Amino acid sequence: MVAEAFTVDLNKPLVFQVGHLGDQYQEWVHQPIVSKEGPRLFGNDALENFGHGILIKQLVFQFLTRTEWWAIPLIWLPVFWNLIRLITTPTTTHGVFGGGLLGYVMYDCTHYYLHHGQPSSDPGKHLKELYEYTSMAAVSPDAVTKEMEVLSVEQNPQAKNVVNAETHATSSKDSKVADSNGSHSSPPEDDDDDEAQGDGPSQDGGSEAAKKKKKKSKSKKKKGPPQQTDPPSIPIDELFPSGDFPEGEIQQYKDDNLWRTTSEEKRELERLQKPMYNAVRRAAEVHRQVRKHMRSILKPGMLMIDLCETLENMVRKLIKENGLQAGIAFPTGCSLNWVAAHWTPNSGDKTVLQYDDVMKLDFGTHIDGYIVDCAFTVAFNPMFDPLLQASKDATNTGVKEAGIDARLCDVGAAIQEVMESYEVEINGKVFQIKSVRNLNGHSIGPYQIHAGKSVPIVKGGEQTKMEEGEFYAIETFGSTGKGFVREDLECSHYMKNFDVGHVPLRVAKAKQLLGTINNNFGTLAFCRRYLDRLGETKYLMALKNLCDVGIVQPYPPLCDVRGSYVSQFEHTILLRPTCKEVISRGDDY
């Protein structure tokens, strides 16, 4: 066990003996020691306790467990505290001491659980196996080997057959040796056992099969990100656990801005803005999945209020609505026919979607105030296809022309040229499609759907240029009517003015309603259905009071002449430093 010239005396302190073992130390230290108290490191009791204390393993597993419970808080905690005070500054002493104490408690609890507990999860079981392996290694390597064999047999039925075969072979060999020495052989085993041993694979083949089966079982346990359900119900952030959401369509700048594509400085600016890009891409992915489902279920005969509530509830679920941090950016617009924008059914509305209707479905999502504003038009009658195609192509033209340093008037002129190149035949009468000259696209800011700049859809607009880092909603409206809208019908859309200051209110209900608006919408648009959903009742006079004093702005429906039809398409774009990203682009449009 040890060097011939030296033998360790377990009744004497070990610290001055083990150095004489030389190369035999590794063999000696793994031999089991049967002793009630265990060998000592030092002869002196004080040195013995101190020697245990300076070794981390002994500190956790032996010294503290052999010390009376009251010794730790009364003796060692003050010692550790004063030691830390000596080696740290006054501002860091409490943090270092608390962190060390917390780390020890966590470590000790983990050790206790692995020693006494029975983990049920795979990681817990694996940790317990490693713990038992290291604990047994200090006692006997042979015991480790046997224990691992038992674990392997329990986990792999095929390996059990191999062990049975080896056991049978060993017993047969022993019986032969006994016969040669003149002793009686043991009686033969049952036929069933022989068949089981005969069918079992060879030792090498069995171990290979066991390894393959174990690998397969592990691969089966590895699950990728969940797949979206139909209808969608899994939040988007759970579908992308890495936190990186899909990019929109990338369009390169041209002419004088072509250098941006390869500029390292601009690329670094984009890297700094990645959290913001991911937030708005998450909102865009919610928009894509919701509108894809809605397009698949839309059909004549649906109540408009049911349509809107289905869409909005789906948005709330996929985006994990959370107050002003994530949710719906503005009410669902589902304007019909000559109504161009800003119409959504109020509570109790019984409007039904018809086969010959042209519906503009305009809804928005946001994360941390970064808004995705995107819209499309639905028409069941193919007669309206040219009208829809006109506004779709005009919107894509506006997206293509937009960019850093592009003038807003030039974008509007390009949109009008494409829009008015279309005509549509409706019930035997041909109409030239017109751009609605008093409706515009717009810049978007955090928690601000209209951030100040307007993108016209006719020529002759302002000379203002688009700038780096701006968000824009490029939207176009094509009409068979006059191409000019006015406010009409019952109002449903409202929004708190972005720049409003303190305005004194005398009506108590108005004050209470303003608190509800601030807490739930801030400066995002809302509708009367949203107030109903929050439990507000008898609020119309209070809401009128807020509008009269200028705190809240009403947005009534915008209508062309009755009997006409208006279509709309819209995308949100981001003018990144190196390229233009169409945030809301999807497979549908």
Side-chain angles (χ1 to χ4, degrees):
M1 180 177 73
V2 296
E4 295 181 0
F6 185 81
T7 302
V8 174
D9 186 352
L10 298 179
N11 296 318
K12 296 179 181 180
L14 299 179
V15 69
F16 299 113
Q17 300 185 69
V18 294
H20 298 287
L21 291 171
D23 296 336
Q24 302 299 319
Y25 173 78
Q26 283 293 335
E27 180 182 353
W28 172 84
V29 77
H30 286 102
Q31 299 303 315
I33 295 175
V34 181
S35 174
K36 185 175 181 181
E37 292 295 330
R40 298 174 61 92
L41 288 176
F42 300 96
N44 183 276
D45 289 341
L47 286 176
E48 175 71 6
N49 287 336
F50 181 74
H52 283 289
I54 61 174
L55 299 174
I56 294 177
K57 183 176 180 181
Q58 298 294 346
L59 174 66
V60 177
F61 292 109
Q62 295 184 23
F63 177 64
L64 290 181
T65 55
R66 290 167 61 181
T67 304
E68 294 294 337
W69 67 270
W70 46 264
I72 297 175
L74 291 183
I75 300 175
W76 288 107
L77 288 184
V79 169
F80 292 152
W81 166 255
N82 286 284
L83 180 62
I84 290 172
R85 286 181 61 188
L86 290 176
I87 62 176
T88 59
T89 62
T91 57
T92 60
T93 300
H94 293 83
V96 173
F97 179 77
L101 184 61
L102 177 62
Y104 166 72
V105 171
M106 292 173 64
Y107 184 85
D108 204 35
C109 289
T110 303
H111 161 254
Y112 183 86
Y113 176 67
L114 292 177
H115 186 73
H116 298 283
Q118 295 296 330
S120 57
S121 62
D122 290 339
K125 291 179 180 177
H126 184 62
L127 283 175
K128 189 170 179 68
E129 289 177 13
L130 292 177
Y131 170 78
E132 292 176 346
Y133 178 84
T134 54
S135 299
M136 293 171 62
V139 178
S140 171
D142 295 336
V144 174
T145 305
K146 292 180 180 179
E147 180 66 19
M148 296 308 292
E149 288 178 356
V150 171
L151 290 174
S152 176
V153 168
E154 290 176 353
Q155 295 176 358
N156 301 284
Q158 293 182 352
K160 188 174 182 180
N161 294 335
V162 176
V163 173
N164 289 339
E166 292 175 349
T167 305
H168 178 67
T170 304
S171 62
S172 300
K173 183 177 180 180
D174 292 342
S175 64
K176 289 179 180 179
V177 172
D179 288 342
S180 65
N181 292 333
S183 60
H184 296 285
S185 60
S186 59
E189 299 180 355
D190 296 339
D191 294 339
D192 294 340
D193 294 338
D194 293 338
E195 291 176 2
Q197 293 162 359
D199 293 339
S202 64
Q203 180 176 351
D204 294 338
S207 60
E208 289 295 328
K211 289 179 181 178
K212 289 181 180 179
K213 187 169 183 180
K214 192 171 183 180
K215 288 181 180 178
K216 287 181 179 178
S217 63
K218 286 185 178 180
S219 62
K220 288 180 181 177
K221 292 177 184 177
K222 293 180 181 178
K223 294 182 179 179
Q227 298 298 315
Q228 187 58 277
T229 59
D230 186 18
S233 60
I234 301 177
I236 294 301
D237 60 348
E238 295 180 13
L239 298 178
F240 299 91
S242 66
D244 293 327
F245 299 93
E247 276 189 338
E249 179 191 20
I250 301 299
Q251 295 186 7
Q252 301 300 333
Y253 294 127
K254 53 186 179 181
D255 301 332
D256 293 341
N257 282 311
L258 192 59
W259 61 274
R260 293 175 171 273
T261 305
T262 56
S263 171
E264 193 59 38
E265 178 185 356
K266 298 301 181 182
R267 289 179 181 176
E268 182 60 28
L269 287 175
E270 289 194 348
R271 283 191 284 271
L272 295 175
Q273 294 294 329
K274 187 175 180 181
M276 183 265 285
Y277 294 167
N278 263 330
V280 73
R281 287 168 185 163
R282 175 183 167 192
E285 184 62 23
V286 171
H287 199 289
R288 277 190 288 269
Q289 295 200 15
V290 171
R291 75 187 188 223
K292 178 181 179 181
H293 176 72
M294 293 306 300
R295 287 169 79 96
S296 70
I297 66 171
L298 288 174
K299 59 183 178 181
M302 295 183 69
L303 274 174
M304 299 300 290
I305 194 168
D306 291 344
L307 183 156
C308 292
E309 290 180 349
T310 299
L311 184 150
E312 290 161 357
N313 288 334
M314 189 174 296
V315 170
R316 293 184 180 105
K317 185 178 295 185
L318 297 193
I319 209 167
K320 280 189 176 176
E321 186 179 38
N322 180 25
L324 295 175
Q325 277 68 54
I328 299 171
F330 53 84
T332 303
C334 50
S335 307
L336 298 174
N337 303 326
W338 67 87
V339 182
H342 297 171
W343 185 85
T344 194
N346 289 319
S347 297
D349 192 290
K350 299 299 182 183
T351 305
V352 175
L353 183 62
Q354 304 292 336
Y355 176 76
D356 286 327
D357 284 339
V358 176
M359 179 181 67
K360 283 72 66 181
L361 199 56
D362 186 357
F363 69 99
T365 57
H366 84 93
I367 299 289
D368 295 328
Y370 295 109
I371 299 172
V372 172
D373 184 2
C374 186
F376 61 96
T377 303
V378 175
F380 304 106
N381 194 331
M383 172 177 65
F384 297 107
D385 287 351
L387 177 62
L388 273 61
Q389 192 63 42
S391 55
K392 182 187 291 187
D393 288 350
T395 298
N396 287 332
T397 299
V399 169
K400 182 179 178 181
E401 293 297 320
I404 297 174
D405 296 333
R407 296 187 184 275
L408 300 177
C409 58
D410 295 338
V411 177
I415 289 173
Q416 184 179 18
E417 182 179 358
V418 172
M419 180 77 77
E420 298 186 354
S421 66
Y422 281 84
E423 57 184 24
V424 59
E425 182 179 347
I426 301 175
N427 297 326
K429 186 176 180 180
V430 177
F431 298 87
Q432 182 186 2
I433 299 173
K434 306 180 184 70
S435 286
V436 180
R437 59 183 179 273
N438 60 334
L439 287 178
N440 307 288
H442 48 88
S443 59
I444 303 175
Y447 296 102
Q448 189 177 19
I449 188 64
H450 294 155
K453 293 183 180 179
S454 295
V455 184
I457 58 175
V458 293
K459 61 183 179 181
E462 53 188 72
Q463 300 284 321
T464 308
K465 290 182 177 181
M466 294 179 166
E467 299 178 44
E468 178 184 307
E470 290 181 325
F471 287 88
Y472 282 92
I474 305 296
E475 58 181 324
T476 65
F477 296 85
S479 174
T480 62
K482 292 183 177 180
F484 186 87
V485 296
R486 67 196 187 285
E487 294 180 351
D488 196 3
L489 305 178
E490 182 182 33
C491 185
S492 58
H493 284 53
Y494 300 86
M495 185 168 64
K496 183 183 175 184
N497 286 328
F498 192 80
D499 298 318
V500 69
H502 174 70
V503 178
L505 295 172
R506 297 181 179 179
V507 181
K509 180 65 176 177
K511 292 180 181 179
Q512 181 265 324
L513 182 62
L514 179 59
T516 299
I517 294 170
N518 287 334
N519 293 334
N520 293 278
F521 311 114
T523 54
L524 297 174
F526 60 93
C527 65
R528 283 157 56 176
R529 281 189 294 107
Y530 293 179
L531 295 176
D532 296 335
R533 184 173 180 271
L534 293 171
E536 291 291 335
T537 58
K538 300 179 180 179
Y539 56 80
L540 291 180
M541 288 301 297
L543 184 58
K544 184 178 184 302
N545 180 241
L546 294 177
C547 293
D548 291 343
V549 298
I551 296 176
V552 173
Q553 179 71 35
Y555 289 88
L558 302 174
C559 307
D560 205 328
V561 294
R562 287 182 178 268
S564 63
Y565 296 93
V566 179
S567 68
Q568 173 198 14
F569 276 86
E570 179 180 19
H571 274 301
T572 297
I573 65 171
L574 167 60
L575 303 182
R576 287 167 45 183
T578 65
C579 62
K580 173 173 51 182
E581 183 174 350
V582 188
I583 296 290
S584 55
R585 181 74 79 190
D587 296 334
D588 46 358
Y589 66 92

